[in-house]
Amino acid sequence: MKKLTAIICIISLNLLLGGFLQAQSLAEKLGGVKTGFIISSHGVELEITNQVIAKRAERFYDWGGHNDGAYGYGYGYESFHLEFTVRDGEIDMPLSGTLLRSEKPIMLDFYDENGNLLGSRAKWVGDVRLVSNNSPDNKLTHYSIDLIAIPLPLLDAAKRIDIFRE
């Protein structure tokens, strides 16, 4: 009888733990943390369907050549990214491929729950990546913003993040 009770307890425990692990999203399984920021662009609140902060690997490289030889260099690092999905809206950003050297940066303004500005940070356009489905019926735009050089206490205190091109 003790063996049967032990087996039933083990099976029950496995079912409970298995159900919990399956309930996690892929982002949570990979170490991401769900966030609850209000995200806006030029003060207009966007409809956010999902948001998370996750650690990502980043890389940069360049290479070239000429008649006398060639060169190449690169580096990599890890940083946290704010990733979120916007339904039927978008952040004011330059279009891919149209960036000029004189293009203004993307600004991130951080506000507390009372609407007080806590701080601002300019981000290079390459620090903000997006993927969109371009569906007229259910347009979804997924953003990933590199949070390198943004202090964690600032993120902790922020309730709303306004993201816009200056």
Side-chain angles (χ1 to χ4, degrees):
M1 188 67 174
K2 286 184 178 182
K3 285 185 179 182
L4 181 59
T5 305
I7 291 172
I8 290 173
C9 286
I10 290 171
I11 291 172
S12 299
L13 188 59
N14 282 336
L15 289 174
L16 287 173
L17 289 177
F20 171 72
L21 292 176
Q22 289 176 354
Q24 287 183 313
S25 70
L26 179 61
E28 290 170 322
K29 287 179 183 178
L30 295 175
V33 177
K34 285 190 177 261
T35 57
F37 296 114
I38 296 168
I39 299 176
S40 59
S41 185
H42 288 292
V44 177
E45 187 174 335
L46 301 171
E47 182 184 349
I48 306 300
T49 62
N50 190 15
Q51 59 180 290
V52 66
I53 290 181
K55 189 181 282 190
R56 295 277 186 201
E58 286 292 330
R59 70 188 184 299
F60 177 82
Y61 60 89
D62 192 18
W63 59 274
H66 47 80
N67 292 340
D68 295 335
Y71 70 92
Y73 63 92
Y75 60 86
Y77 63 93
E78 283 186 335
S79 68
F80 289 98
H81 285 230
L82 174 62
E83 299 184 348
F84 56 92
T85 301
V86 177
R87 180 185 309 279
D88 297 325
E90 57 189 28
I91 293 170
D92 174 30
M93 288 182 45
L95 298 173
S96 180
T98 62
L99 180 65
L100 302 173
R101 289 195 183 271
S102 63
E103 186 72 53
K104 293 186 177 182
I106 303 295
M107 296 300 299
L108 278 70
D109 286 349
F110 299 90
Y111 295 90
D112 67 11
E113 66 275 353
N114 298 319
N116 298 315
L117 181 64
L118 299 171
S120 295
R121 180 72 182 173
K123 299 300 283 181
W124 177 64
V125 175
D127 289 337
V128 181
R129 297 192 179 106
L130 65 97
V131 175
S132 180
N133 68 354
N134 292 322
S135 169
D137 298 331
N138 184 25
K139 184 176 181 184
L140 298 173
T141 307
H142 312 275
Y143 292 91
S144 180
I145 301 174
D146 191 343
L147 296 176
I148 195 164
I150 295 179
L152 288 177
L154 176 61
L155 289 172
D156 250 352
K159 177 69 175 169
R160 180 172 68 92
I161 303 173
D162 195 48
I163 307 168
F164 59 96
R165 186 174 39 176
E166 210 176 30

